Amino acid sequence: MKMGSSKPQIFFYFALIHLVIPTAAQNNCGNTVYAIALCSGDASPSECRSCINESRYDLLQGCPNQKEAIRWAWLKKCLIRYSYKSIFNTLAPDPKSGSYRVDSALDVEGFYNALRPLLDSLRNRAATGNSTHKFALQSGPAPDNQTIYSLLQCTPDLSERDCNTCLLSVQAFTSECCGEKQGGIFLAPSCVIRYETYPFYNPSAESPPPPPPSPPPELRTSTPGMH
Ligand SMILES: *[C@@H]1O[C@H](CO)[C@@H](O)[C@H](O)[C@H]1NC(C)=O
Ligand SMILES: *[C@@H]1O[C@H](CO)[C@@H](O)[C@H](O)[C@H]1NC(C)=O
Ligand SMILES: *[C@@H]1O[C@H](CO)[C@@H](O)[C@H](O)[C@H]1NC(C)=O
């Protein structure tokens, strides 16, 4: 599925929401709420809409009186957060949360040696995304005939540098908490890393390998008997 190809769609994938609440309805901690909603770059518009709708209810029910709160629903492909202070264009690598597979890799060191360069290259691709899209996914080979599928994403209001910093920080967290695990979802307010040894996204969303260099046209047309 092609993502971010139209403006209304982009709104659902990523929205910065700035509400001014009437002061009468507020206690004395200010009258502005800032909120960010982010859907996974591979979510369909309907997955995104229903994830944000459900998370909004969960967030308001779970945290009715908080000045700031976050709801990570990455299995359903979104996160939403709000705060009384501005959170736009602001790096937030903490707090972090992780959920991981119970199974450890058979060859822990080999798995890590395959995972690390994949995450490094995806981090670079995600960070260099544009202002509506800081997202990358790809798979790569791992020991024991396994394949690692991985997805990295920042809220696209971050600068390239802040996105890179956030993802590096979550990457460090993954190896501290769950280095020997075969997969998991690792979250910060500003960025997300997921990797698994099964395709948790539609593999057709991966960017195709670069096309092989085509032979110069002169050679083709000058070769007799080719048609
Ligand atoms: C939004 O979520 C609420 C509560 O879960 C549900 O009742 C409602 O039907 C949902 N609306 C849409 C448009 O999905
Ligand atoms: C941002 O990048 C995405 C993916 O490469 C692309 O689809 C989208 O059109 C770009 N948006 C802008 C505003 O350049
Ligand atoms: C990996 O694949 C190769 C070739 O298909 C096979 O010979 C080998 O037994 C496989 N190894 C494992 C651990 O499954």
Side-chain angles (χ1 to χ4, degrees):
M1 158 161 282
K2 200 137 175 75
M3 290 305 155
S5 49
S6 71
K7 279 251 152 57
Q9 203 167 308
I10 286 168
F11 174 81
F12 286 112
Y13 287 102
F14 173 64
L16 298 175
I17 305 148
H18 185 173
L19 299 173
V20 178
I21 295 173
T23 33
Q26 249 328 86
N27 45 30
N28 54 6
C29 71
N31 59 355
T32 300
V33 173
Y34 301 87
I36 290 181
L38 177 72
C39 279
S40 178
D42 71 323
S44 72
S46 66
E47 282 176 318
C48 182
R49 261 191 300 270
S50 64
C51 183
I52 288 179
N53 179 43
E54 284 171 30
S55 305
R56 187 169 53 111
Y57 279 84
D58 295 343
L59 191 66
L60 294 176
Q61 273 182 354
C63 320
N65 299 311
Q66 303 305 119
K67 287 191 197 169
E68 40 191 357
I70 183 160
R71 169 79 183 160
W72 286 296
W74 209 253
L75 267 183
K76 292 183 176 169
K77 304 191 175 180
C78 74
L79 69 82
I80 62 174
R81 54 189 281 240
Y82 68 80
S83 178
Y84 65 97
K85 49 185 187 198
S86 176
I87 49 176
F88 303 161
N89 313 309
T90 305
L91 169 63
D94 292 294
K96 292 185 182 65
S97 167
S99 51
Y100 51 84
R101 287 262 298 282
V102 205
D103 335 293
S104 294
L106 292 175
D107 169 3
V108 172
E109 198 184 333
F111 188 80
Y112 181 74
N113 289 340
L115 177 63
R116 193 182 163 163
L118 179 63
L119 294 185
D120 287 344
S121 106
L122 288 175
R123 188 182 73 242
N124 185 50
R125 266 175 52 196
T128 53
N130 61 31
S131 60
T132 59
H133 192 273
K134 283 195 166 53
F135 167 73
L137 56 71
Q138 199 68 42
S139 59
D144 302 311
N145 295 342
Q146 285 188 309
T147 301
I148 306 177
Y149 297 84
S150 181
L151 176 162
L152 278 69
Q153 188 164 4
C154 293
T155 64
D157 56 324
L158 291 192
S159 66
E160 175 180 343
R161 194 168 133 201
D162 284 351
C163 176
N164 190 60
T165 304
C166 187
L167 289 171
L168 260 182
S169 164
V170 173
Q171 233 177 301
F173 171 70
T174 67
S175 35
E176 276 162 31
C177 80
C178 324
E180 78 288 358
K181 301 300 180 192
Q182 287 193 39
I185 303 178
F186 305 94
L187 302 140
S190 289
C191 67
V192 178
I193 294 179
R194 183 174 187 188
Y195 59 85
E196 305 284 358
T197 49
Y198 63 91
F200 62 91
Y201 54 77
N202 184 341
S204 70
E206 291 191 2
S207 51
S214 46
E218 301 81 23
L219 278 181
R220 262 195 207 153
T221 49
S222 66
T223 308
M226 281 293 283
H227 298 288

